[in-house]
Amino acid sequence: MLKEGIAPLVVSVIVLTGFSVFSFLAMKPELAGVKESVVLFLLGAWSTMAAGVVSYWVGSSAGSKQKDDTIKSIAEQKP
Protein backbone atom coordinates (compact mmCIF):
# COMPACT_ATOMS: atom_id res chain seq x y z
CA MET A 1 0.00 0.00 0.00
CA LEU A 2 1.27 3.47 -0.84
CA LYS A 3 2.22 5.96 1.87
CA GLU A 4 -0.56 8.33 0.83
CA GLY A 5 -3.12 5.56 1.19
CA ILE A 6 -2.20 4.72 4.78
CA ALA A 7 -3.43 7.92 6.46
CA PRO A 8 -7.11 7.54 5.45
CA LEU A 9 -6.98 3.91 6.53
CA VAL A 10 -5.53 4.75 9.95
CA VAL A 11 -8.09 7.52 10.52
CA SER A 12 -10.88 5.19 9.43
CA VAL A 13 -9.79 2.49 11.86
CA ILE A 14 -9.58 4.99 14.73
CA VAL A 15 -13.01 6.46 13.99
CA LEU A 16 -14.74 3.11 13.57
CA THR A 17 -13.09 1.75 16.73
CA GLY A 18 -14.19 4.81 18.69
CA PHE A 19 -17.71 4.46 17.34
CA SER A 20 -17.76 0.81 18.38
CA VAL A 21 -16.57 1.65 21.89
CA PHE A 22 -19.21 4.37 22.35
CA SER A 23 -21.88 2.08 20.93
CA PHE A 24 -20.98 -0.50 23.56
CA LEU A 25 -20.92 2.13 26.31
CA ALA A 26 -24.34 3.40 25.24
CA MET A 27 -25.68 -0.07 26.00
CA LYS A 28 -23.84 -0.38 29.34
CA PRO A 29 -22.85 3.09 30.62
CA GLU A 30 -22.47 1.79 34.19
CA LEU A 31 -19.33 -0.12 33.11
CA ALA A 32 -17.52 3.15 32.45
CA GLY A 33 -19.05 4.95 35.43
CA VAL A 34 -20.34 7.84 33.33
CA LYS A 35 -23.75 9.38 32.82
CA GLU A 36 -25.84 7.92 30.04
CA SER A 37 -26.48 11.38 28.56
CA VAL A 38 -22.74 11.97 28.10
CA VAL A 39 -22.28 8.64 26.35
CA LEU A 40 -25.24 9.31 24.06
CA PHE A 41 -23.87 12.75 23.17
CA LEU A 42 -20.48 11.28 22.30
CA LEU A 43 -22.11 8.43 20.39
CA GLY A 44 -23.93 10.99 18.24
CA ALA A 45 -20.69 12.81 17.44
CA TRP A 46 -18.83 9.59 16.65
CA SER A 47 -21.70 8.28 14.52
CA THR A 48 -21.37 11.37 12.34
CA MET A 49 -17.67 10.67 11.92
CA ALA A 50 -18.36 6.99 11.18
CA ALA A 51 -20.82 8.03 8.47
CA GLY A 52 -18.09 10.22 6.97
CA VAL A 53 -15.68 7.29 6.93
CA VAL A 54 -18.17 5.08 5.12
CA SER A 55 -18.95 7.88 2.66
CA TYR A 56 -15.24 8.30 1.95
CA TRP A 57 -14.64 4.63 1.16
CA VAL A 58 -17.79 3.90 -0.83
CA GLY A 59 -18.95 7.34 -1.91
CA SER A 60 -17.80 9.98 -4.33
CA SER A 61 -14.34 10.34 -2.73
CA ALA A 62 -13.48 6.76 -3.68
CA GLY A 63 -14.66 7.33 -7.25
CA SER A 64 -12.76 10.59 -7.47
CA LYS A 65 -9.55 8.94 -6.27
CA GLN A 66 -9.98 6.15 -8.81
CA LYS A 67 -10.47 8.74 -11.56
CA ASP A 68 -7.34 10.61 -10.44
CA ASP A 69 -5.32 7.37 -10.46
CA THR A 70 -6.56 6.56 -13.97
CA ILE A 71 -5.64 10.02 -15.26
CA LYS A 72 -2.21 9.74 -13.61
CA SER A 73 -1.52 6.36 -15.21
CA ILE A 74 -2.57 7.66 -18.64
CA ALA A 75 -0.35 10.73 -18.25
CA GLU A 76 2.64 8.59 -17.31
CA GLN A 77 2.37 6.42 -20.42
CA LYS A 78 4.95 7.21 -23.04
CA PRO A 79 3.57 7.92 -26.55
Side-chain angles (χ1 to χ4, degrees), residues 1-19 46 49 53 56-57:
M1 183 176 261
L2 299 172
K3 272 187 172 181
E4 59 201 28
I6 292 175
L9 181 62
V10 170
V11 170
S12 297
V13 168
I14 291 170
V15 168
L16 294 177
T17 301
F19 176 71
W46 281 84
M49 290 187 279
V53 166
Y56 174 81
W57 289 108

Side-chain angles (χ1 to χ4, degrees), residues 29-44:
E30 66 277 358
L31 289 179
V34 296
K35 292 184 179 181
E36 184 178 353
S37 59
V38 173
V39 173
L40 292 177
F41 174 79
L42 292 171
L43 178 61

Side-chain angles (χ1 to χ4, degrees), residues 18-28 39 43:
F19 176 71
S20 299
V21 168
F22 284 114
S23 295
F24 176 77
L25 288 177
M27 292 183 271
K28 300 192 180 281
V39 173
L43 178 61

